[in-house]
Amino acid sequence: MQLDPVEYAILSQSVIAAAREMGVKLIRSAYSTILREARDGSAALLDAEGFTVAQAELIPMQLGSIGPIFQPCKAMFPKETLEEGDFLVINDPYSGGQHLQDVFFFHPIFVEGEVIGFAASVAHHLDLGGGAPGLNAAARDVYAEGLIIPPMKLNMARDWNGGGFQRLLRANVRVPQQTMGDFDAQIAANNIGVLRVQELAARYGKAKVKATMAALQDYSERRMRAAIAQVPDGTYRGEAQMDDDGLGRGPITVRVSVTVAGEAISVDFAGTDPQVGTNLNCPFASLISASVSCLKAALTSPDIPFNDGALRPITVTAPKGSLLNPNHPAPVRARMVSASRAWNAVMMAVSQAAPEQAIAQGYDTTTAFCLSWLGPQGWSVYLEVYGGGYGAGIGNDGCDAVDNPLSNCSNTPVEAMDQDFSFFRVTEYALRPDSSGLGARRGGAGFSRSYEILAEEALVSYYSDRFTGAASGLFGGGKGASGRCEVRRGGEVISLDSKVSFPLRRGDVVTISLGGGGGYGSPAERPAALIARDLEDGIITRSLADSWAS
């Protein structure tokens, strides 16, 4: 169908606006701090075949492969078999999902009896059962990580609102108010997406809406291919390492070959180390997100809609049984750590092909930090996702104390924690001076946060990385600081590993410290004015400023 340019502009921006409104509804309706404050969720609109058309700008890891994640649902439940009130659900990483805590809901959009698209949402759920509250660091298979939901077709009237599926979920989670409230937030977000597309179809006709969905994906594809065409043809290689596998073996290496051929790119992770026995394995859907997100960020303009059209010129492969494409039933809860190393390896390859468009490594480690306590009223579970310092680029310093590029979660205000949790309090939250990698442009500073435990028999569980390694600089830039976690118990300081579960006592103070990003270019080329500014802001100490100037 030929679209009038003016109508296309109106319709395409309306579809994008609808996806953004879904994202706002998801966050504003949420119950848990991980979704309400940290914004660890996403929303999108898909076309009738389940390919992404428009997304809310939330979590790249969740959205980069939401179209491929939908395809197993589509294969099992074709759109022709769906009825009003039906919706599809998946979280199984071995059926196309990512990890169990990210549960995807897909609601069909009916217009005149025809499914013309789907409203999709995903949220990281605070607790989904499994062997430990919030995060089971000891899991050795996916069954120990929580409730597994294969592709399922459900109905709102029959299975939710007191129905069997809702009751099953509630019976398997430790914090039902927050978790079930977040599920309802997903449904609310999807309902908004369905309504907005139906309104557009009522005003402009469903044929024009469907044509706009296709044209928007084609536009992203054209822009992506044009950007790739500017990169010299060739094969470029990169690698990155995790400290260890959590069982004492390491480092664990991710290797990649990025081949540019005209307007297309293939990303091959052959040579990556085998899967590990802990939860650091990365499902293939997450690898797609990591690879495509990195290439889009480095090579293209941010105004290009991130939809399935942008994925068309890119092919991603990884050996089965490797860290980045594990065999069932390997645990995958901490897949963001290995996915971030995939991002780092791809960015290293990009730096050879397009050096001015690459950035140095950031701390680039999703640190999922969980405090839990079983009190008189039941479980209380606090979970937050931390980042660290961002990597520097050719014309900019790295951002200080932000989440990594694949996660993009927000800071959880201390006031929100005080409101929701009685068994701990935050005693310090600060940037880490001298944690940035030096360079003509410095890396971002890391940060630390300290928690005083106010109850007996609490538990801290987390996964992180770069406690022994560090973010590498680029083109002469220095490394960022490493991370660490310590428990101060009376006069004793207990140092914890990067992937651990540890019982706490009343009065303990847990301090998690995140590392900084790598620098870009020679430190000798940094302007004196920028060094003075960093000293004034507390990013560096006087001793480092004096040594830098000398």
Side-chain angles (χ1 to χ4, degrees), residues 75-99:
M76 188 165 289
F77 307 107
K79 64 181 184 294
E80 294 79 12
T81 68
L82 302 179
E83 301 175 354
E84 291 277 2
D86 285 348
F87 64 103
L88 307 177
V89 182
I90 183 175
N91 79 341
D92 181 9
Y94 294 100
S95 297
Q98 295 213 16
H99 69 177

Side-chain angles (χ1 to χ4, degrees), residues 15 46-48 53 116-117 197 208-217:
V15 170
L46 316 182
D47 65 16
V53 176
I116 67 167
V197 174
K208 289 183 179 179
V209 173
K210 291 164 65 176
T212 297
M213 289 180 170
L216 195 52
Q217 294 176 74

